[in-house]
Amino acid sequence: MAPAIWLSLLAATVVICITPGAGAINTMSNALAVGWRRSIWGVLGQELALLAHIVIVAAGVGVLVANTPALFNAIRYIGAAYLVYLGVRLIFTKPQPPAADAEGARRATTRTAMLRRGFWVNLLNPKAIVFFLAFIPQFIDVDAPILPQYLILIATAVGVDVIVMWGFFAVAARPFRRYTETARGQRVLNSVFGALFVGVAALLLFIH
């Protein structure tokens, strides 16, 4: 991949990743619940989904999804329903006691649970597949070896997304951590992030 093409890829990826969405909301929610350091597990789950999207597009399945309205809509509805489920569950989450009990509750949020949630939050977005279907060909030279180009694209996309999610959105949640020390603060934050999940679900359903 030529340096100029890679720089264009890098710039486009930064712009895409910095745009708030379900992944950013999930990352900030995790950072508030378990702290900045452990929130990386949710980010890693999201990166696995991003990798899956790229592989799906590279394998040609993305064309099938994009050209099959019933399949596209089925994935879209499932994804929206999952985000609503996460939002409602967060809104009705019982506030945890401060200090030692809260620390125990944070430990109870396992790495596997965050990894799994991050994966499904990103994977169940068919528009991401369609987006990559339009995005990836702009940076792939079909007359050059394909595999090295895809490896560079994957490394760039995943690397930038980890930096943005963990280095920006997770860090951005840190000033709000003090609100998690009171039951009222937890309820407010849970309600806000729960509503954001539901809002993203609505966008997924109604904005085409």
Side-chain angles (χ1 to χ4, degrees):
M1 185 177 291
I5 298 296
W6 181 79
L7 288 174
S8 299
L9 170 65
L10 179 64
T13 305
V14 169
V15 172
I16 294 163
C17 293
I18 206 74
T19 304
I25 296 168
N26 185 60
T27 298
M28 295 182 73
S29 177
N30 284 336
L32 285 170
V34 301
W36 173 77
R37 188 182 300 275
R38 292 190 65 219
S39 69
I40 186 62
W41 293 99
V43 174
L44 293 178
Q46 294 169 198
E47 302 319 311
L48 289 176
L50 187 152
L51 178 61
H53 282 149
I54 295 175
V55 170
I56 286 170
V57 170
V61 179
V63 176
L64 175 64
V65 174
N67 293 327
T68 310
L71 179 58
F72 178 88
N73 286 327
I75 299 174
R76 186 162 61 98
Y77 290 133
I78 293 171
Y82 183 65
L83 291 177
V84 170
Y85 162 73
L86 291 178
V88 171
R89 189 178 70 170
L90 193 58
I91 290 171
F92 288 100
T93 295
K94 184 178 179 181
Q96 300 294 332
D101 290 341
E103 183 61 30
R106 284 193 289 270
R107 286 196 298 269
T109 304
T110 66
R111 297 171 179 177
T112 302
M114 287 187 288
L115 191 76
R116 183 173 57 248
R117 185 170 63 244
F119 177 78
W120 288 113
V121 162
N122 262 11
L123 187 71
L124 291 174
N125 183 358
K127 292 188 177 182
I129 298 176
V130 176
F131 172 79
F132 277 116
L133 192 62
F135 177 78
I136 289 176
Q138 310 302 320
F139 304 98
I140 298 295
D141 182 359
V142 294
D143 295 324
I146 296 296
L147 181 59
Q149 296 182 78
Y150 268 101
L151 292 178
I152 292 172
L153 189 148
I154 289 170
T156 302
V158 170
V160 169
D161 201 49
V162 168
I163 292 172
V164 170
M165 290 296 152
W166 203 41
F168 177 72
F169 286 112
V171 170
R174 296 177 78 173
F176 299 97
R177 284 297 301 278
R178 65 180 184 274
Y179 295 107
T180 65
E181 297 174 359
T182 66
R184 181 182 180 185
Q186 290 179 45
R187 279 194 295 268
V188 170
L189 289 174
N190 288 343
S191 297
V192 168
F193 280 94
L196 288 173
F197 271 122
V198 174
V200 171
L203 290 175
L204 186 63
L205 286 175
F206 299 116
I207 295 184
H208 300 280

